[in-house]
Amino acid sequence: MTVRLPWHRLSTSAVLRPAAPRLGTRLNHRILGLTVRNFRTLTDVKLPLGALTVMVGPNAAGKSNVLHALKFLGDVARKGIEPAVDTRGGFDVLAFRGGAKPVSRISIGVTGIWSGFASAGDPDRYELTINRPRLPERARERYTTYRGERLFQHPSADAPTSVELTRDQLFVTDAGNAEPLTLVASSGRMVSALQHPSPLPDGSPSAEAIAAVSRHLQQIRVFDPDVRAARQPSPISGEGRHLDDNAANLADFLKTLYEIRDQEQDGRRVIWENLLRDVRTVIPNIEDIHLVDVPERSDYISVELEESGLRGRTRLKDASFGTVRLLCLLAVFHDPNPPLLTCIEEIDHGIHPHALELLAGRLREASRRAQFLVTTHSPAFVNELTPEEFVVCERDRDGSSIIPAYTTDEVRERIEASEGMPIGELWFANALGGGL
């Protein structure tokens, strides 16, 4: 059945069956895996994602590109495909530049749980492709560019549905319809269903699934603290309940954590107490953290550190790089309401090795509230991981990334063969990759 309606004009609820009551709907939305083809060095990557995933490997192995691929999907959901591509330099910059011929397709997909009856064994799937085939010599333009999107979901028991968006058409396969539904989409070949209003009826299973995936992807953040910005006073605002991706509003966010009281524990500031205890553990000379108004700027707040043996307080703008970065990371790990997925590159950067054990423990605790994907070069940090949390990244001779380079079972086998040597030591000894 084909319905020829513009993108915005489909309103009849008779086209698709209404959403059935979703008894047993799962609220624990999460991403279970990432699939990437021809995005920078990621030519064929299938990466499982758990609550905590830590990638290791030499420089230029592709670890950062994994984070960038996820951030790219988040930007598509927030801004659209073309802005996400353009801000990264265009198709030629994003596409894999190895091989005999230029690639004509980039694809990034995620599996996860978004609809009511999806599960780890039978997950939902979303995939975005950006196609740029070369046109015949006589054509006015050298290339044409268009997107493709596919979404497979489980809105009801034993009744999966799918949505496929091609150049100008939207195909919907629903268990309640005898044949697929085809809609003519007239909003352009690079419009994403994640970012643009859906032409599907409000309340339909497919429309709800697209909205759930979009909300999840919009929450992906790559946390990369800018220590210089984090040192500065920050304006007090309602946005302080979320820490910026670059931690520029650190003072305001710390104020938010300080003001949270636990009613089950007599109104104590439990989160703040735990944060302060961790800071004292890894930086013993810090006795207290003070949040103070900025003179002549009543709408700004700053951070000052009370240190043992010193008169007065140390302004955060005068604190060491490692102290500020550690405070940024601990603030993230103590966030009671984090984004659904946080990526952190080189989590060990600027951190004393003896502090990494505590950071690993707090990161694992935080992963009970949300997912974390991080990279590291520190064997000491890797020593704190389990085989399920550990991913080795390597680079092939053709310039493409091999991720993961070892399966979880292979990691366990290497550990057993070494008679229980810690993972970080095995990796550093080149028994699990690790070489340059």
Side-chain angles (χ1 to χ4, degrees):
M1 176 172 60
T2 301
V3 179
R4 294 189 173 275
L5 289 175
W7 186 268
H8 296 293
R9 289 181 55 193
L10 181 63
S11 60
T12 173
S13 60
V15 177
L16 292 177
R17 63 187 176 87
R22 295 182 297 163
L23 302 176
T25 296
R26 301 175 187 271
L27 298 179
N28 188 20
H29 291 178
R30 61 190 185 277
I31 297 176
L32 300 173
L34 173 70
T35 302
V36 188
R37 294 182 180 88
N38 296 328
F39 181 90
R40 295 182 174 170
T41 64
L42 310 181
T43 58
D44 188 11
V45 167
K46 297 181 179 66
L47 176 63
L49 294 175
L52 172 59
T53 305
V54 180
M55 297 186 293
V56 303
N59 294 325
K63 304 184 298 296
S64 297
N65 289 337
V66 172
L67 275 57
H68 293 159
L70 285 163
K71 183 66 180 298
F72 178 80
L73 284 183
D75 285 348
V76 168
R78 285 186 292 269
K79 307 172 185 177
I81 298 173
E82 289 180 301
V85 172
D86 292 344
T87 56
R88 290 165 171 82
F91 185 93
D92 289 329
V93 173
L94 289 181
F96 178 60
R97 292 182 287 110
K101 297 181 180 180
V103 300
S104 60
R105 172 179 292 187
I106 297 171
S107 70
I108 307 175
V110 286
T111 59
I113 297 177
W114 298 289
S115 59
F117 289 86
S119 65
D122 194 8
D124 299 324
R125 298 192 299 272
Y126 168 79
E127 182 181 38
L128 168 68
T129 62
I130 302 175
N131 306 277
R132 198 184 67 159
R134 191 179 182 92
L135 294 174
E137 293 294 335
R138 63 181 181 275
R140 180 176 302 178
E141 302 291 337
R142 293 181 61 191
Y143 303 97
T144 182
T145 306
Y146 60 94
R147 56 80 189 92
E149 286 182 291
R150 293 181 179 179
L151 177 67
F152 184 83
Q153 70 255 349
H154 302 77
S156 57
D158 302 319
T161 67
S162 66
V163 176
E164 181 176 1
L165 186 60
T166 62
R167 295 190 186 198
D168 298 303
Q169 291 183 315
L170 182 74
F171 302 94
V172 180
T173 303
D174 184 88
N177 295 314
E179 57 180 311
L181 168 70
T182 304
L183 307 175
V184 177
S186 61
S187 284
R189 295 183 175 185
M190 292 294 283
V191 172
S192 171
L194 296 180
Q195 192 265 342
H196 208 276
S198 172
L200 300 170
D202 292 339
S204 70
S206 297
E208 290 185 356
I210 291 174
V213 174
S214 180
R215 286 193 298 269
H216 194 143
L217 296 180
Q218 288 180 46
Q219 287 199 41
I220 294 174
R221 72 169 173 185
V222 176
F223 184 66
D224 185 14
D226 180 342
V227 170
R228 180 177 297 180
R231 285 184 170 125
Q232 302 303 316
S234 58
I236 300 172
S237 70
E239 299 301 319
R241 64 183 183 277
H242 300 296
L243 186 58
D244 291 345
D245 292 354
N246 65 352
N249 67 332
L250 176 63
D252 193 27
F253 181 70
L254 290 176
K255 176 178 179 292
T256 297
L257 296 185
Y258 177 81
E259 292 175 345
I260 297 175
R261 294 181 179 272
D262 192 329
Q263 300 305 318
E264 296 182 0
Q265 298 199 36
D266 300 324
R268 286 173 48 204
R269 294 186 171 94
V270 175
I271 292 177
W272 182 258
E273 293 171 4
N274 292 337
L275 171 65
L276 187 57
R277 183 181 64 246
D278 285 348
V279 171
R280 290 167 173 164
T281 298
V282 294
I283 314 177
N285 59 293
I286 293 181
E287 296 183 344
D288 205 351
I289 299 174
H290 299 272
L291 305 174
V292 298
D293 295 331
V294 178
E296 301 179 0
R297 296 294 302 272
S298 60
D299 56 338
Y300 272 67
I301 192 168
S302 65
V303 179
E304 295 180 351
L305 306 177
E306 184 177 333
E307 300 185 73
S308 59
L310 298 181
R311 293 186 298 274
R313 298 173 183 169
T314 301
R315 298 176 301 177
L316 195 64
K317 63 188 302 183
D318 299 322
S320 71
F321 177 96
T323 295
V324 178
R325 195 166 193 278
L326 187 60
L327 187 56
C328 292
L329 292 172
L330 288 174
V332 167
F333 301 155
H334 285 280
D335 186 350
N337 187 31
L340 290 175
L341 173 60
T342 295
C343 305
I344 305 174
E345 191 163 11
E346 296 189 23
I347 192 170
D348 55 286
H349 180 48
I351 307 300
H352 192 284
H354 289 169
L356 294 178
E357 181 179 356
L358 183 141
L359 279 185
R362 294 296 176 262
L363 177 59
R364 186 172 288 111
E365 291 172 4
S367 69
R368 298 170 186 167
R369 300 187 295 276
Q371 284 185 281
F372 284 84
L373 173 63
V374 305
T375 73
T376 185
H377 289 112
S378 170
F381 187 84
V382 175
N383 279 340
E384 305 300 322
L385 304 177
T386 67
E388 293 77 14
E389 298 166 339
F390 174 70
V391 174
V392 176
C393 305
E394 295 182 349
R395 187 158 178 171
D396 209 345
R397 292 183 178 180
D398 66 355
S400 63
S401 299
I402 306 172
I403 305 175
Y406 297 87
T407 66
T408 301
D409 288 341
E410 288 173 333
V411 173
R412 290 197 189 97
E413 291 171 2
R414 302 289 175 99
I415 295 173
E416 292 175 2
S418 70
E419 298 182 351
M421 183 181 293
I423 298 178
E425 294 182 24
L426 282 172
W427 173 62
F428 189 70
N430 293 341
L432 278 171
L436 296 176

